[in-house]
Amino acid sequence: MSAATTAPVESASRLATVRPRRDVTLWSRFRKHRLAVVGLFVLLVMILIAIAAPLLAPYDPNSVSLSDYRKPPSAEHWLGTDSQGRDVLSRLMYAARVSLSVGIGAVAIYVVIGTILGGVAGYFGGWIDNVIMRLADMVLSFPSIIVIITLVSILGPSILNVILVIGLLGWPPIARLVRGEFLTLRERDFVVASRSIGAPSGRIIARHIFPNATTPVIVNATFGMASAILLEAGLSFLGLGVQPPTASWGNILNAAQSITILEEMPWLWLPPGAAIVVAVLAINTLGDGLRDALDPRSRR
Amino acid sequence: MAERWTIDTLAEVWAARGLDRRELMKLLGAGAGLTAMTTLFTAPGPVGAAQAAEAQVSVEWLKPQTLGPLFSTAGFEQQVERAIFGTLVRMSDVLQPEGDLAETIEVSPDATVFTFRLRQNAMFNDGTPLTSADVLFTFERALDRRVGSFWTARLQGIQGAAEFGDQTAPTVSGIAVPDASTVVFTLTAPDAAFLPILADFCGLGILPKHILEGIAPDQLVNDAFNLAPTVGAGPYSFVRYESDQFVELVANDLFWGGRPAVDRIFMRIINAEVAVAEMEAGRLDLMAVAIDDIPRFQENPALTVVTVPSPSMDSISLNLDLPYFQDKRIRQAMHYAIDREQIVAEIYQGNAVVRNSPIFGPEWMGVPEGLNPYAYNPDTARQLLADAGWDSGRSVQMMYNPAGGRTFANVVPIIQAQLAEVGFNVTLQQYDAAEINKHLTTDHDYEIYIGGGGVYGADPNISSRYYLSNAFTPTGANSVWYANPEVDALYQEGRQAGDQAQRKEIYTRLAILLNDECPSVFLWSPNTNFVFNNRLVGFLPPSYIQNRLWQAEAWSVAQ
Amino acid sequence: MAQFLLRRLLISIPVLLGITVAMYVIINLAPGDPVTALMNPEQMANLGPEWVEQQRESLGLNDPAPIRYLKWLRETATGNLGYSFVDRLPVTEKIGERIWPTLQLMLVVLVIAVVVGVPLGIVSALKQYSFFDYLLTVLGFLTVSIPSFFLGLVMIYVFSLKLDWLPANGMYTVGQPRTFTDSLSYLILPATVLGLAQAAPIIRYTRASMLETIRQDYVTVARSKGLSETRIVTGHSLRNALIPIITIIALNVPSLLGGTVIIEQVFGWPGMGSLAIASVLGRDYNVLMGINLVIAIMILLSNLLADTIYALADPRIKYA
């Protein structure tokens, strides 16, 4: 859990150490994108809340109390209680763990798959490249939401299965990116030079090609996290999301999918709705900032 | 029944009884005015004048898979089929079987011979008279195993049903048609519950022989007629089905009771949340309403909310094949552990009735006395679990279908928490209907299932299908695999007893036994709630779960 | 050019075959039986296992999966997609009546997305790093950050229930003659919810490609010749920026299709998305295979369109 939530921070810092000269300018360019900095900060706060949920949450998120059925916000329950008399604030904090790990977990899976397949295709080329790229075409042409719905209903809805299914279907864009990077870098001087002095392939890939491919992959992965969080919410709407009583932002929001609740009980939908919007917004602006910082064309 | 009422005469009658419509509906909600309403509608009266402009009504509905009476397995489809085809018997508003296409029903004293005389003016909407030949055709198809009708198993009490079904006999020996308007059913053994079975859920629609006789029995299921049943003898005729949008019905000019006053009914397929908006905007006239939405509709002067008790029941099924569920004290403990009274009060807002046995209706039966109420008591529950040697370290899986409604879905985690409180740990698993069926019926590999349904209230014998030892799934509906010779014997006795007083006594004994044995964990019967637009006059709360079209032939529209 | 198209089409065939094989495997792994999927347990029990077996046999479900796939493929090649297990209607007929509502919805969504997205993207590019630019960025991200099912409900609440401006469910008013304006009023809410989300990437790409063309030499030349900014923007920059924009729209077709699945559920729009969901729940394999085939073809065609436009626009890409 905590390993997964800190993954992007880690890779961001790795980015900063691997190629110091380039990344000093990267950070300074990133800093200029004020929104992105705010996004990064908000995301970090959310991750912290998710990790520290057991310490911060005022109540047990699954503790049911019939006498507290749908009570509006009060001094005891800052965000009110839900249809089972559970504390909304506590559920929201615990839900952050689930929703963020769906985002991060799914993306982690497809980044790994995409990088390996893209790397293999780009490095070896030829028929291997052809097979992998056709495979990517295939997965890209899948009616993905229908495949996801079918797969989740086969495997049974659960956090792990939602992560797995989104992860297994998301890799082609990453593979294409990494392959593209390999194709251009393969012929670059420093790679050719390393090869000519007899450095083994693995070493060349690890030392020279991967670090260069990291940046576009990170941008892509950031946006991917946002859409995975939204996808989990959508699956909850279709009854295929995370199983109760475990809370996710998606299933809390879906439990409030009623005109009467919308009108009369804002504490049941506003908090999860805001959490999803703020998280997705933060991640997207972060991705936007990273892209601007990495893409030389958007500089004046 | 044969008469229709105009708005004016209805208003007159209501005024004469010192009731305005709203009060009448409130009474109905309390269950008190039911009989008054029956007499109101069965009393003879003048036939209404023709409507000037076309009167249309929109009703919230669900997506149908078929409208073929032989193949429908869902109540909401069968309601519409009854409106299109008409049936021999239907349930009255107090859950008593009464004639529909049959004008009179004679039952022999020993409840083995049932004679139906059809209405003289019963006619299909294409002008062909409906005769006993159509009834015979319909029941022959229902019994023919090549057809695959779900009625086959239900009608096995008819003499010669099995032989005809396997094609070892050319005719059903137990169905005779002495003349064009008489049908006689003879049963192998006395069955006091035969009429309720025929009426269950909305009765078997009588099919037009002249349209369908040319189709091979095993091809009926594939026939286009199932989604375009254009010929029938019911009050409304099928016009068209716009896939996933609506079914359009039009008043049948040739209906035996006279052309209904509402010219057109649209059964709209619409999701529950959006239906609320459509209802308030006046684009929908009638819908089944969730408990959350009742107050908002009650505040709306243009709408009326009606509440009717339901014959169904929510319950928890434990797979009794598993060694760790076999001790009845475990099931008793679950009754004590779940605060059913407070759940009904808080979550259902009083809109449900706690049940302690599967026998609670119809009116002549009532709720048996002398049952253990299993009042909420977690200490007793803990004690019982300890006595039964329940291992609180064990975790069992409880599956459910969240499509059972928002209120139901809200309750499941509460039950989970209350069971955990006494050391009975369950994990929840949501499945869709397909997977529930697989685990519950086909494979029988579930641990616990929570869900609702059934028409227990229609007849005390109805619950036998869930608890008889010869009805284990997948060949029967006993999905808990409960077996008890004493229970079997009592169900048998009750079915063969002639008069109601005797039946009542037998079923009371049975209820007390089941109440102690707890083959399932009995929860509650959630009331059925409807909201209708006041322009829709004559809507009567239906006898069956969400039967929106019950008495639809008596509807009219206020201008 | 014809050669290029032909080659691309030929490459698509194995991809399409691969998709159908993969889908067949996935669908056949699903638990539950199409014969009994949508029955309630009691009624299923009434029918008994023999009946279920007989139905399975008559639906051809007892053949081994590879045989069934080959049969399916053979029939599909002749244009027969089989019959629905649920209501026994031909799959081609079921999809046929669903594809137009979905295409109609997609088209209006695209129109909304382009009408909103392109002008805002241009303005955003011309005023790069201004307050307006930031505002648009935030608003754009906001529309893609709200789960569409919830935004849909909010829109229904506001525009249908409170203001009573627009209907919330279906395609046209039942029981009344169908008119263009009536149908249009039913399209507005679902198309707007999706259109706003689809506009966001168009704003971004329009902005990016405008920024790129603005800096190109010919624009500088045009400017130095004293042409007005409007002429430059509409006449030069936009024309050249349009190609990548169209490409992006074509590449966004899969996400658009994905969006319609949920929106159709919310607004009771009788398109392929709601048919797909019903087919998953009913284990209606034939319908599901048919939908997947149609959607895969739509996606492959839109990819081809994107590639073709790109190839036409960029002389460096050779057709052969």
Side-chain angles (χ1 to χ4, degrees):
Chain A
M1 174 64 224
S2 59
T5 38
T6 52
V9 185
E10 256 174 36
S11 37
S13 59
R14 195 161 59 94
L15 190 78
T17 49
V18 172
R19 303 188 63 78
R21 193 185 49 79
R22 185 174 163 182
D23 290 303
V24 168
T25 54
L26 175 69
W27 172 243
S28 60
R29 268 188 275 145
F30 179 79
R31 242 178 25 185
K32 270 203 269 175
H33 198 313
R34 292 284 156 78
L35 279 173
V37 178
V38 175
L40 179 65
F41 177 75
V42 170
L43 184 65
L44 287 176
V45 169
M46 284 186 147
I47 290 172
L48 271 178
I49 290 176
I51 295 170
L55 302 173
L56 296 173
Y59 295 89
D60 174 351
N62 296 329
S63 146
V64 160
S65 161
L66 277 174
S67 48
D68 288 328
Y69 175 71
R70 292 186 181 169
K71 292 275 185 294
S74 63
E76 296 94 71
H77 299 281
W78 291 359
L79 293 178
T81 58
D82 70 2
S83 307
Q84 283 79 22
R86 300 175 294 201
D87 183 58
V88 173
L89 178 63
S90 308
R91 287 186 70 72
L92 207 60
M93 289 175 165
Y94 275 86
R97 305 181 130 201
V98 172
S99 294
L100 291 174
S101 39
V102 168
I104 292 164
V107 168
I109 291 176
Y110 75 60
V111 163
V112 169
I113 299 177
T115 309
I116 292 172
L117 287 182
V120 169
Y123 194 82
F124 294 104
W127 68 270
I128 298 178
D129 179 31
N130 233 319
V131 167
I132 292 176
M133 282 304 108
R134 289 297 80 77
L135 203 63
D137 283 349
M138 241 176 69
V139 176
L140 275 177
S141 308
F142 265 167
S144 57
I145 184 130
I146 296 171
V147 176
I148 289 172
I149 291 165
T150 317
L151 275 175
V152 171
S153 70
I154 290 169
L155 299 170
S158 76
I159 308 174
L160 197 67
N161 289 341
V162 168
I163 292 177
L164 266 177
V165 169
I166 300 177
L168 286 177
L169 287 170
W171 59 268
I174 301 279
R176 283 185 171 179
L177 270 175
V178 173
R179 171 181 173 268
E181 208 66 31
F182 266 64
L183 287 183
T184 42
L185 290 175
R186 203 163 57 162
E187 309 307 328
R188 286 274 187 81
D189 294 348
F190 63 95
V191 177
V192 175
S194 319
R195 196 179 283 144
S196 67
I197 59 167
S201 312
R203 208 180 128 94
I204 297 171
I205 293 173
R207 287 290 293 275
H208 299 292
I209 301 184
F210 264 137
N212 277 291
T214 318
T215 44
V217 168
I218 286 177
V219 173
N220 193 295
T222 319
F223 289 120
M225 260 173 71
S227 47
I229 290 173
L230 281 174
L231 198 53
E232 191 277 322
L235 286 174
S236 288
F237 169 69
L238 297 171
L240 294 167
V242 173
Q243 293 290 290
T246 307
S248 78
W249 291 334
N251 68 18
I252 302 180
L253 184 61
N254 184 48
Q257 182 83 353
S258 132
I259 295 269
T260 300
I261 291 178
L262 184 68
E263 189 171 56
E264 290 163 15
M265 291 164 246
W267 69 92
L268 291 182
W269 58 266
L270 206 53
I276 294 177
V277 170
V278 169
V280 173
L281 204 57
I283 297 170
N284 273 335
T285 45
L286 171 65
D288 196 44
L290 281 173
R291 181 172 52 193
D292 276 6
L294 293 167
D295 183 359
R297 284 177 302 178
S298 64
R299 266 182 300 168
R300 267 221 198 257
Chain B
M1 248 334 290
E3 303 303 330
R4 284 176 301 118
W5 295 72
T6 62
I7 308 146
D8 292 338
T9 45
L10 251 185
E12 267 172 41
V13 176
W14 285 341
R17 295 185 186 219
L19 292 170
D20 80 331
R21 181 164 179 74
R22 206 164 256 263
E23 278 167 0
L24 199 74
M25 287 307 171
K26 272 184 212 145
L27 272 178
L28 283 165
L34 284 170
T35 359
M37 201 63 169
T38 323
T39 44
L40 183 79
F41 270 86
T42 46
V47 175
Q51 300 283 321
E54 184 166 87
Q56 296 184 345
V57 170
S58 277
V59 181
E60 167 255 358
W61 201 47
L62 301 158
K63 178 187 167 65
Q65 285 159 46
T66 175
L67 290 171
L70 294 170
F71 306 107
S72 268
T73 55
F76 70 90
E77 291 169 351
Q78 290 162 340
Q79 307 155 17
V80 173
E81 287 156 18
R82 194 257 138 200
I84 294 173
F85 294 101
T87 65
L88 271 188
V89 197
R90 65 170 187 177
M91 281 295 189
S92 77
D93 44 11
V94 286
L95 294 176
Q96 288 275 23
E98 64 177 22
D100 186 18
L101 285 166
E103 193 152 25
T104 62
I105 305 167
E106 273 169 46
V107 184
S108 68
D110 66 345
T112 47
V113 182
F114 294 73
T115 308
F116 299 86
R117 288 192 205 288
L118 303 179
R119 291 177 194 276
Q120 289 302 321
N121 56 347
M123 192 175 275
F124 289 106
N125 57 354
D126 63 355
T128 316
L130 185 147
T131 68
S132 54
D134 296 296
V135 178
L136 179 63
F137 171 78
T138 304
F139 279 88
E140 280 181 349
R141 288 293 178 271
L143 287 171
D144 193 326
R145 292 209 174 268
R146 290 170 296 177
V147 172
S149 167
F150 91 98
W151 282 88
T152 315
R154 281 196 180 168
L155 299 174
Q156 287 306 305
I158 299 172
Q159 247 177 36
E163 293 78 3
F164 178 81
D166 303 335
Q167 289 103 52
T168 49
T171 54
V172 189
S173 56
I175 306 179
V177 281
D179 62 58
S181 60
T182 310
V183 187
V184 184
F185 288 81
T186 309
L187 308 186
T188 46
D191 188 357
F194 183 64
L195 289 180
I197 288 172
L198 273 193
D200 182 8
F201 284 77
C202 290
L204 175 58
I206 301 303
L207 300 166
K209 183 183 181 190
H210 63 287
I211 302 287
L212 298 173
E213 65 184 332
I215 299 160
D218 61 344
Q219 285 306 309
L220 268 173
V221 67
N222 297 323
D223 200 78
F225 188 80
N226 290 322
L227 275 176
T230 45
V231 179
Y236 290 92
S237 300
F238 174 90
V239 179
R240 63 188 167 135
Y241 168 41
E242 288 278 310
S243 172
D244 274 12
Q245 292 190 81
F246 59 85
V247 164
E248 183 177 340
L249 303 172
V250 69
N252 176 7
D253 292 323
L254 301 176
F255 177 53
W256 53 263
R259 185 180 204 272
V262 170
D263 298 287
R264 222 167 274 274
I265 298 180
F266 292 96
M267 305 301 294
R268 288 180 56 191
I269 300 153
I270 183 168
N271 80 44
E273 288 82 35
V274 181
V276 172
E278 291 283 274
M279 195 75 210
E280 290 208 352
R283 287 185 286 261
L284 200 61
D285 297 304
L286 171 65
M287 69 179 279
V289 50
I291 285 159
D292 282 354
D293 299 321
I294 292 176
R296 67 179 303 121
F297 287 134
Q298 276 173 334
E299 286 162 17
N300 192 327
L303 308 174
T304 304
V305 177
V306 194
T307 299
V308 262
S310 157
S312 76
M313 176 173 71
D314 291 352
S315 63
I316 302 176
S317 307
L318 289 84
N319 183 348
L320 301 183
D321 202 28
L322 299 170
Y324 44 89
F325 288 147
Q326 278 168 359
D327 193 321
K328 73 176 177 189
R329 284 173 296 187
I330 287 164
R331 282 114 61 187
Q332 289 174 337
M334 291 171 76
H335 279 92
Y336 282 116
I338 301 166
D339 191 350
R340 296 173 297 160
E341 295 290 347
Q342 210 193 345
I343 289 174
V344 165
E346 292 283 345
I347 314 290
Y348 284 91
Q349 308 277 298
N351 251 304
V353 184
V354 171
R355 298 297 179 198
N356 287 301
S357 93
I359 290 168
F360 50 82
E363 209 164 71
W364 60 263
M365 180 68 224
V367 178
E369 276 170 26
L371 302 182
N372 181 350
Y374 291 108
Y376 176 60
N377 191 335
D379 292 329
T380 312
R382 277 187 210 101
Q383 188 57 51
L384 283 166
L385 285 177
D387 294 348
W390 178 258
D391 171 13
S392 63
R394 180 188 290 281
S395 176
V396 289
Q397 193 191 67
M398 181 156 82
M399 61 175 190
Y400 70 107
N401 183 352
R406 190 172 295 281
T407 312
F408 173 74
N410 279 342
V411 163
V412 174
I414 295 175
I415 291 177
Q416 180 198 32
Q418 291 189 336
L419 289 174
E421 193 74 12
V422 299
F424 190 94
N425 296 307
V426 298
T427 53
L428 299 181
Q429 183 65 53
Q430 294 182 336
Y431 284 134
D432 61 18
E435 212 166 347
I436 299 254
N437 272 352
K438 175 175 140 65
H439 295 302
L440 195 67
T441 311
T442 324
D443 296 355
H444 200 76
D445 61 354
Y446 73 104
E447 287 188 305
I448 302 184
Y449 164 68
I450 178 168
V455 283
Y456 302 87
D459 192 279
N461 180 63
I462 297 277
S463 55
S464 67
R465 48 179 81 138
Y466 310 118
Y467 301 127
L468 283 178
S469 61
N470 64 1
F472 279 15
T473 51
T475 49
N478 183 348
S479 56
V480 288
W481 288 20
Y482 175 74
N484 183 340
E486 211 182 332
V487 169
D488 290 355
L490 280 169
Y491 271 121
Q492 178 78 1
E493 235 182 281
R495 209 164 156 162
Q496 293 182 352
D499 71 295
Q500 281 185 348
Q502 207 186 338
R503 290 191 80 200
K504 184 171 178 173
E505 187 269 322
I506 295 164
Y507 287 119
T508 304
R509 270 173 24 222
L510 178 59
I512 291 170
L513 180 61
L514 290 172
N515 170 256
D516 179 63
E517 278 278 302
C518 304
S520 309
V521 178
F522 311 115
L523 297 173
W524 43 70
S525 298
N527 293 338
T528 309
N529 300 287
F530 290 96
V531 59
F532 66 90
N533 194 307
N534 291 339
R535 66 185 280 274
L536 173 61
V537 178
F539 170 68
L540 268 183
S543 58
Y544 275 125
I545 319 160
Q546 302 207 346
N547 184 349
R548 299 156 179 85
L549 289 182
W550 200 81
Q551 294 280 36
E553 54 268 44
W555 289 358
S556 59
V557 170
Q559 299 303 313
Chain C
M1 188 64 213
Q3 215 184 348
F4 166 79
L5 276 175
L6 193 69
R7 208 171 62 100
R8 287 302 315 250
L9 274 174
L10 283 178
I11 293 176
S12 301
I13 291 172
V15 172
L16 204 56
L17 274 177
I19 290 173
T20 62
V21 173
M23 279 309 302
Y24 213 84
V25 170
I26 292 171
I27 288 171
N28 279 287
L29 285 174
D33 186 323
V35 173
T36 58
L38 292 172
M39 286 185 191
N40 84 41
E42 185 216 326
Q43 284 152 337
M44 190 184 133
N46 273 332
L47 291 169
E50 287 158 37
W51 179 83
V52 171
E53 194 48 40
Q54 173 199 330
Q55 290 294 304
R56 288 188 59 86
E57 189 64 46
S58 79
L59 292 172
L61 285 167
N62 284 341
D63 292 333
I67 302 286
R68 272 186 286 144
Y69 173 72
L70 289 176
K71 278 187 182 170
W72 179 86
L73 199 63
R74 190 187 64 201
E75 290 299 311
T76 301
T78 67
N80 172 17
L81 291 174
Y83 294 83
S84 159
F85 294 154
V86 175
D87 56 23
R88 316 295 171 124
L89 293 176
V91 174
T92 40
E93 187 182 306
K94 280 180 83 89
I95 293 178
E97 67 183 19
R98 298 309 191 92
I99 196 166
W100 297 115
T102 295
L103 287 177
Q104 201 183 345
L105 181 63
M106 283 172 67
L107 187 74
V108 178
V109 166
L110 278 180
V111 169
I112 292 177
V114 170
V115 166
V116 171
V118 172
L120 291 182
I122 294 171
V123 177
S124 198
L126 295 179
K127 313 215 165 186
Q128 198 188 13
Y129 296 135
S130 70
F131 171 74
F132 183 78
D133 186 19
Y134 276 123
L135 184 74
L136 270 187
T137 308
V138 175
L139 282 180
F141 278 133
L142 200 62
T143 60
V144 290
S145 307
I146 305 174
S148 60
F149 64 91
F150 198 75
L151 184 60
L153 188 71
V154 173
M155 299 276 261
I156 289 171
Y157 176 69
V158 174
F159 293 101
S160 196
L161 202 162
K162 284 289 143 183
L163 299 172
D164 198 13
W165 288 353
L166 294 163
N169 186 274
M171 279 184 79
Y172 54 88
T173 311
V174 295
Q176 276 170 28
R178 288 178 74 161
T179 61
F180 176 73
T181 44
D182 180 60
S183 300
L184 192 67
S185 71
Y186 279 82
L187 254 172
I188 293 176
L189 281 185
T192 308
V193 173
L194 260 186
L196 288 180
Q198 289 290 321
I202 294 185
I203 296 179
R204 293 227 52 79
Y205 282 100
T206 309
R207 176 180 179 270
S209 82
M210 283 300 288
L211 284 177
E212 205 172 322
T213 51
I214 281 171
R215 281 181 234 109
Q216 299 278 341
D217 293 344
Y218 61 88
V219 176
T220 319
V221 171
R223 197 173 277 132
S224 65
K225 285 200 296 193
L227 288 178
S228 78
E229 276 297 314
T230 330
R231 281 282 312 271
I232 294 169
V233 169
T234 52
H236 289 81
S237 311
L238 183 59
R239 207 171 55 201
N240 287 286
L242 249 137
I243 292 157
I245 295 169
I246 294 172
T247 315
I248 283 306
I249 292 172
L251 287 177
N252 254 341
V253 165
S255 96
L256 184 52
L257 275 165
T260 59
V261 172
I262 285 176
I263 283 300
E264 285 179 9
Q265 286 292 106
V266 175
F267 289 93
W269 192 257
M272 284 198 298
S274 42
L275 183 63
I277 302 279
S279 308
V280 172
L281 294 180
R283 309 286 186 269
D284 201 344
Y285 301 164
N286 282 348
V287 176
L288 211 47
M289 282 303 292
I291 293 175
N292 284 318
L293 184 70
V294 170
I295 292 184
I297 290 174
M298 281 166 77
I299 292 173
L300 285 172
L301 281 181
S302 62
N303 285 349
L304 186 62
L305 181 73
D307 286 358
T308 313
I309 295 168
Y310 210 74
L312 283 175
D314 193 338
R316 284 169 299 183
I317 297 174
K318 291 186 200 82
Y319 298 144

